[in-house]
């Protein structure tokens, strides 16, 4: 297993520690790429195909302020992100880094062992108080099944 010191710096903007201790980064693509190491794997949550990046990336079709277009695809991408976060720098990102990113981080948190009913609160405490923007997104997380 790779040394955790080669992964994300827990003090870096957007980096969140999952209950298992793994670190993932959430961010807004409308903002400049943060200083420091780049991701090695990313899941981009957008209503259009993201631009190409020099790291491995997956696209989840997801309208702004909405829900993912395909629940099965979303689950597969989040499972992949969780697995890879053991040994790689993983980020999840939408345009602003709050609604879709927060919702995906909350689902990832549920996959990592937090009860789905508590996952939004976990992300708001450990990532951003503005995470998960709509009641539909909150409900999506509460009903999220691994």
């Amino acid at each position: 297993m790779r040394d955790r010191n080669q992964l994300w710096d827990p003090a870096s903007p957007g980096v969140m520690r999952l209950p298992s201790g793994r670190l993932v980064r959430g961010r807004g693509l409308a903002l400049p790429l943060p200083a420091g190491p780049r991701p090695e794997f990313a899941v981009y949550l957008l209503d259009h195909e993201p631009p190409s990046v020099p790291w491995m990336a997956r696209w989840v079709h997801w309208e702004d302020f909405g829900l993912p277009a395909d629940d099965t695809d979303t689950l597969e991408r989040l499972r992949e992100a969780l697995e890879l976060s053991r040994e790689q720098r993983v980020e999840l990102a939408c345009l602003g880094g709050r609604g879709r990113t927060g919702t995906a981080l909350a689902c990832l948190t549920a996959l990592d062992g937090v009860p789905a009913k508590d996952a939004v609160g976990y992300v708001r405490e450990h990532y951003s108080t503005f995470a998960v923007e709509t009641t539909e997104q909150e409900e999506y997380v509460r009903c999220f099944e691994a």
Side-chain angles (χ1 to χ4, degrees):
M1 183 175 206
R2 193 164 155 187
D3 181 355
R4 287 205 186 274
N5 292 329
Q6 294 177 345
L7 299 178
W8 295 121
D9 175 355
S12 293
V15 174
M16 184 182 89
R17 185 175 304 278
L18 294 169
S20 63
R22 298 175 195 180
L23 299 172
V24 294
R25 180 171 77 185
R27 77 176 179 102
L29 295 170
L31 303 171
L33 186 66
R38 293 182 171 198
E40 296 169 296
F41 178 80
V43 178
Y44 295 124
L45 317 152
L46 298 167
D47 59 2
H48 59 279
E49 192 169 347
S52 65
V53 290
W55 48 85
M56 187 168 42
R58 302 284 186 257
W59 171 40
V60 172
H61 187 241
W62 194 327
E63 296 289 328
D64 199 10
F65 296 102
L67 300 176
D70 184 328
D71 292 339
T72 302
D73 180 60
T74 302
L75 178 59
E76 287 177 21
R77 299 294 168 234
L78 292 177
R79 282 183 175 156
E80 184 178 17
L82 182 61
E83 180 60 31
L84 291 173
S85 70
R86 288 177 185 220
E87 296 188 16
Q88 293 185 31
R89 289 183 301 275
V90 171
E91 81 171 0
L92 282 74
C94 64
L95 196 59
R98 292 181 174 183
R100 293 170 283 186
T101 297
T103 303
L105 286 170
C107 291
L108 196 68
T109 299
L111 286 174
D112 200 46
V114 170
K117 67 181 181 58
D118 300 325
V120 170
Y122 184 96
V123 170
R124 286 179 176 160
E125 180 180 343
H126 298 280
Y127 171 66
S128 170
T129 57
F130 301 107
V132 190
E133 294 177 312
T134 69
T135 55
E136 290 82 10
Q137 290 171 342
E138 287 185 40
E139 183 63 24
Y140 184 82
V141 175
R142 278 194 297 275
C143 297
F144 187 76
E145 294 191 27

